[in-house]
Amino acid sequence: MQNHASRAATFLKDDARTDWHNNTLWHVRSKRDKLVHGIPEWESIRQLGSDIKDNVLSNLDTYLEQFVAKAEANGVIVHWAVDAKEHNEIVHGILARHKVDKIVKSKSMLTEECHLNEHLEKHGIEVVDTDLGERIIQLKKEPPSHIVMPAIHLKKEEIGELFHEHLGTEKGASDPQYLTEAARGHLREKFLSAKAAITGVNFAVAETGGVVVCTNEGNADMGVHLAPVQIHCMGIEKVIPRAEHLAVFTRLLGRSATGQPITIYTSHHHRPKVGGEMHIVLVDNGRTKQLGREDFRNSLKCIRCGACMNTCPIYRRSGGHSYDHTIPGPIGSILSPGKDLKKNKDLPFASTLCGSCSDVCPVKIDIHEQLYKWRQIVSEEGHLENVKSIPLAGAGAVLSRGGLYNFMGKAARTALKIAPRALIYNQFNAWGQSRELPEVPKNSFKEWYAKNRKDA
Amino acid sequence: MPTAKEHILARVRANKPADRPLPDMPTYDAEVDLDLPLFTEVIGGSKGKVMAMEDLPGYLATNFPDAKVIASTVPEIPGNIDLAAVKDPLELALVDIAVLRGRFAVAENGAIWVTEKEAVIRVLPFITQHLVLVIDGGVVPTMHEAYKSIDIAETGFGVFIAGPSKTADIEQSLVIGAHGPRSLGVVFV
């Protein structure tokens, strides 16, 4: 059966790509550091972001009611969806009512989570993702491998090949400027002919009933302002109390995500355009369940910047697809077990627990601590794979008995010296496949200490 | 049977943690004298260009000699399209240059506040090939002062614009002009 380790092994077969992926994401992390260090109050803004989100989670019902009342007063049509299925049906219902057969979409991790595209396509609606990275992976029929840089796993030559096939660019052309220009022309046609536009939501303001959408390309705005019907899909945790709090989150988001002082466009949508219709779909899909888990509810504070991915030594060297989940990387690994523990039992282990993710998180989510807690739950509920559970049971038995520990230590030191190499470095020992044991010492530290202490 | 709304709100009430206070918003000391130089530097980093009003006609003539359709709400630059007569935003598909007003700018990140009052038609600052924003409200230090000085719901749509449209989705190579404007000029009056 495939798991994170086996999918990572596939990614790692291409050394050059792995190194490029690793270095490129680290470069983004470095850009983030440079900008963050330029702001003396950075740590206090992070704390504010975290505290505001704590307040939101503890009053989520009140803020949602306030938000909806304001939005409806603004002339927005608000919908509630308990799960992905309801969300997809609501969106399809709106499109069907308007007889829409072509839509444009800007980036939304929520609609990825709900598999909205597949649902709409099943009903004969053409769905065009308009963020360049999203369009690339849509043409390639792949899920995003990063929440901010969806096509970061692909090289420009592969994108050139893809565009040659689908957009008629010159064969062999791989210049990013040329390819982007081709996509611009191709997508402009789609913008001009779409009858509805769908976006995700970065922040929803309870006080004013508006939604805020951040992009660099301007694709969300091109879609929303041209199409007669605009639909904004959001998880219920995206609401924030007041407009002044946007200052905190817009300062945190761009710098944490890509090391830029703010996204090029920070758009505030409050009322439909003249002659247009504006919808907001509020989605639960497991969020209220996560809210009830004391150890894990902090994961709902996430603003989807992707900083934890860019810094993670495992993500950088295993690629987003190795997580096989809508949201990969450290934050995905604490969200996914809450959705389906059995399917995602391997993900909390796709980490060194080094804590770098928690250090860069703009809203101070204790990501690595939650990873550790999920590991304990995976183990308690009996989902641990044999490759982990059997050695751990053995280690537990040995470590709890002092005499046995001393004996096993001695036995191991002798055995490792005389045993054939194949006994440790074989296909059954995953650990040994990419690691070397240190040279075996003559005696244990305990023995060394007893001897040298006497000599002193 | 409860509606989805009732169902979700009931679950939130059952599962939410004990109340946590909303923090007070602090004020940070910013060097106000530095605002304009800082803005110019930051917007430059995002490939926006600050210039004086008297240099704007020359800038447009030199950089966009082939521009045919010009939308302008600024008297110094005469446009050739009547924005008041536009019925459908699709009519703006061929705009080469838009010269519009911006309310004010933010020093720390190069952002400029533009509402649909200044944009006239919401899609205009996005669909135009090149954009110039003429700002009469000066520069504030950070987003804290920015959000304090506006009512985001005053109009149906408002946007902070912090440069020309850009993408780096192909191998993280920066390309200017993803979907929206390929350039941004900024004038303070």
Side-chain angles (χ1 to χ4, degrees):
Chain A
M1 205 190 77
Q2 287 275 62
N3 60 16
H4 178 270
S6 67
R7 286 185 294 261
T10 311
F11 182 79
L12 286 164
K13 276 185 189 146
D14 187 341
D15 264 351
R17 184 194 299 261
T18 307
D19 285 344
W20 182 87
H21 191 265
N22 178 43
N23 293 333
T24 303
L25 288 162
W26 185 252
H27 175 68
V28 180
R29 154 83 210 254
S30 309
K31 283 200 314 195
R32 170 236 174 240
D33 290 352
K34 203 174 144 221
L35 279 198
V36 162
H37 294 154
I39 298 188
E41 63 269 24
W42 180 256
E43 285 305 315
S44 101
I45 307 174
R46 277 180 81 208
Q47 191 61 51
L48 269 179
S50 174
D51 291 347
I52 294 167
K53 288 278 184 176
D54 275 334
N55 170 263
V56 167
L57 294 183
S58 66
N59 295 281
L60 189 56
D61 50 332
T62 319
Y63 289 133
L64 283 170
E65 285 183 303
Q66 190 190 355
F67 170 73
V68 169
K70 282 282 176 186
E72 286 177 342
N74 290 341
V76 177
I77 304 165
V78 179
H79 311 260
W80 298 72
V82 168
D83 54 22
K85 185 169 169 283
E86 277 190 23
H87 163 263
N88 294 347
E89 285 166 3
I90 288 166
V91 173
H92 178 245
I94 299 166
L95 300 177
R97 244 190 330 279
H98 289 273
K99 299 193 171 50
V100 172
D101 57 355
K102 281 178 189 173
I103 63 153
V104 286
K105 220 173 117 244
S106 68
K107 190 131 70 203
S108 152
M109 293 317 296
L110 175 71
T111 60
E112 283 286 338
E113 173 188 322
C114 295
H115 301 289
L116 175 69
N117 287 18
E118 292 89 324
H119 181 82
L120 296 180
E121 283 159 3
K122 213 170 64 196
H123 286 88
I125 295 169
E126 183 197 46
V127 182
V128 175
D129 280 314
T130 57
D131 171 83
L132 177 59
E134 292 264 305
R135 185 61 180 155
I136 291 166
I137 56 159
Q138 188 183 30
L139 292 173
K140 205 147 182 1
K141 298 188 169 55
E142 284 181 0
S145 72
H146 188 291
I147 61 172
V148 174
M149 299 169 267
I152 194 68
H153 59 291
L154 294 172
K155 301 290 292 168
K156 62 185 178 189
E157 291 78 14
E158 294 166 292
I159 297 166
E161 190 55 40
L162 188 72
F163 278 18
H164 171 66
E165 188 189 324
H166 293 274
L167 310 185
T169 53
E170 268 174 65
K171 182 144 186 76
S174 65
D175 173 48
Q177 178 92 41
Y178 168 78
L179 296 176
T180 303
E181 188 63 33
R184 177 185 172 105
H186 157 73
L187 287 165
R188 215 157 238 255
E189 269 174 46
K190 303 289 181 190
F191 284 125
L192 294 171
S193 61
K195 297 287 174 271
I198 297 178
T199 82
V201 169
N202 292 92
F203 312 103
V205 184
E207 168 185 59
T208 64
V211 293
V212 177
V213 181
C214 306
T215 75
N216 279 323
E217 299 182 4
N219 57 314
D221 289 281
M222 281 288 276
V224 160
H225 304 318
L226 284 171
V229 180
Q230 68 190 85
I231 306 172
H232 306 279
C233 302
M234 59 176 274
I236 51 171
E237 82 281 20
K238 295 282 176 189
V239 69
I240 60 170
R242 294 203 286 263
E244 63 176 347
H245 299 136
L246 286 171
V248 173
F249 293 109
T250 54
R251 295 189 85 188
L252 291 170
L253 180 63
R255 290 179 174 96
S256 299
T258 51
Q260 56 186 104
I262 188 168
T263 49
I264 298 297
Y265 302 107
T266 305
S267 296
H268 306 62
H269 305 271
H270 278 86
R271 284 180 281 277
K273 63 180 104 42
V274 178
E277 209 173 277
M278 176 170 164
H279 297 261
I280 294 173
V281 188
L282 292 161
V283 185
D284 180 348
N285 204 33
R287 285 160 178 77
T288 52
K289 199 170 173 193
Q290 190 81 335
L291 186 64
R293 295 182 175 117
E294 196 184 339
D295 286 342
F296 303 109
R297 64 167 61 105
N298 269 350
S299 59
L300 294 170
K301 291 154 86 171
C302 176
I303 59 171
R304 303 288 189 266
C305 70
C308 61
M309 294 164 205
N310 304 341
T311 200
C312 178
I314 302 295
Y315 175 88
R316 282 188 279 119
R317 299 199 72 87
S318 62
H321 288 161
S322 65
Y323 294 80
D324 194 31
H325 183 70
T326 307
I327 299 186
I331 183 69
S333 299
I334 59 175
L335 290 168
S336 55
K339 297 249 177 201
D340 185 344
L341 185 64
K342 212 170 155 208
K343 176 185 176 285
N344 300 305
K345 60 181 188 290
D346 52 325
L347 296 187
F349 295 89
S351 163
T352 62
L353 300 185
C354 70
S356 185
C357 46
S358 307
D359 287 344
V360 296
C361 176
V363 289
K364 301 186 94 164
I365 301 171
D366 52 341
I367 303 175
H368 72 293
E369 286 167 26
Q370 293 190 38
L371 285 166
Y372 178 58
K373 285 174 187 157
W374 274 122
R375 288 184 182 190
Q376 291 166 308
I377 291 175
V378 169
S379 169
E380 279 159 18
E381 300 203 356
H383 296 306
L384 220 50
E385 291 166 50
N386 286 345
V387 65
K388 288 196 171 71
S389 64
I390 294 170
L392 280 175
V398 171
L399 291 172
S400 58
R401 297 176 183 85
L404 184 59
Y405 174 79
N406 288 340
F407 170 76
M408 288 301 284
K410 196 165 275 175
R413 281 191 299 282
T414 312
L416 285 172
K417 260 182 279 186
I418 58 171
R421 186 174 163 82
L423 200 65
I424 297 157
Y425 302 98
N426 61 47
Q427 58 169 319
F428 300 108
N429 182 10
W431 189 91
Q433 279 161 25
S434 51
R435 298 178 184 87
E436 279 288 332
L437 278 171
E439 201 180 319
V440 181
K442 281 192 201 69
N443 40 37
S444 71
F445 174 74
K446 197 173 161 188
E447 289 162 351
W448 178 92
Y449 185 77
K451 183 164 174 277
N452 287 275
R453 171 93 178 176
K454 259 179 228 151
D455 292 350
Chain B
M1 200 174 135
T3 62
K5 175 182 179 177
E6 288 160 358
H7 181 81
I8 292 169
L9 288 175
R11 289 196 53 132
V12 169
R13 285 183 197 114
N15 289 347
K16 68 180 183 177
D19 184 38
R20 299 280 295 266
L22 192 58
D24 292 329
M25 292 291 285
T27 45
Y28 299 103
D29 292 330
E31 292 181 59
V32 177
D33 298 350
L34 281 177
D35 285 350
L36 185 56
L38 181 58
F39 172 85
T40 306
E41 186 194 324
V42 175
I43 195 82
S46 304
K47 314 294 176 200
K49 187 177 162 48
V50 178
M51 69 197 88
M53 182 56 103
E54 65 253 35
D55 297 330
L56 180 56
Y59 164 83
L60 295 177
T62 312
N63 290 290
F64 320 115
D66 301 327
K68 289 185 186 68
V69 184
I70 298 171
S72 175
T73 57
V74 175
E76 288 87 341
I77 303 293
N80 55 16
I81 175 171
D82 180 8
L83 292 174
V86 173
K87 293 269 183 292
D88 187 327
L90 291 171
E91 293 169 40
L92 300 171
L94 296 175
V95 173
D96 293 305
I97 300 171
V99 184
L100 304 171
R101 295 209 175 269
R103 294 262 180 109
F104 66 92
V106 186
E108 68 160 333
N109 55 20
I112 299 160
W113 179 242
V114 179
T115 76
E116 70 179 323
K117 255 186 211 161
E118 293 81 42
V120 189
I121 297 142
R122 289 183 191 186
V123 81
L124 183 53
F126 304 95
I127 202 169
T128 179
Q129 297 289 330
H130 301 278
L131 178 64
V132 176
L133 292 173
V134 177
I135 299 168
D136 51 15
V139 186
V140 300
T142 72
M143 291 306 278
H144 299 291
E145 292 81 11
Y147 277 109
K148 262 184 213 144
S149 63
I150 56 176
D151 167 11
I152 56 168
E154 178 201 326
T155 58
F157 173 72
V159 58
F160 281 106
I161 297 177
S165 161
K166 71 169 184 181
T167 185
D169 274 346
I170 300 176
E171 283 199 3
Q172 279 293 292
S173 297
L174 177 68
V175 178
I176 301 297
H179 296 295
R182 301 168 188 272
S183 69
L184 174 67
V186 181
V187 176
F188 287 95
V189 289

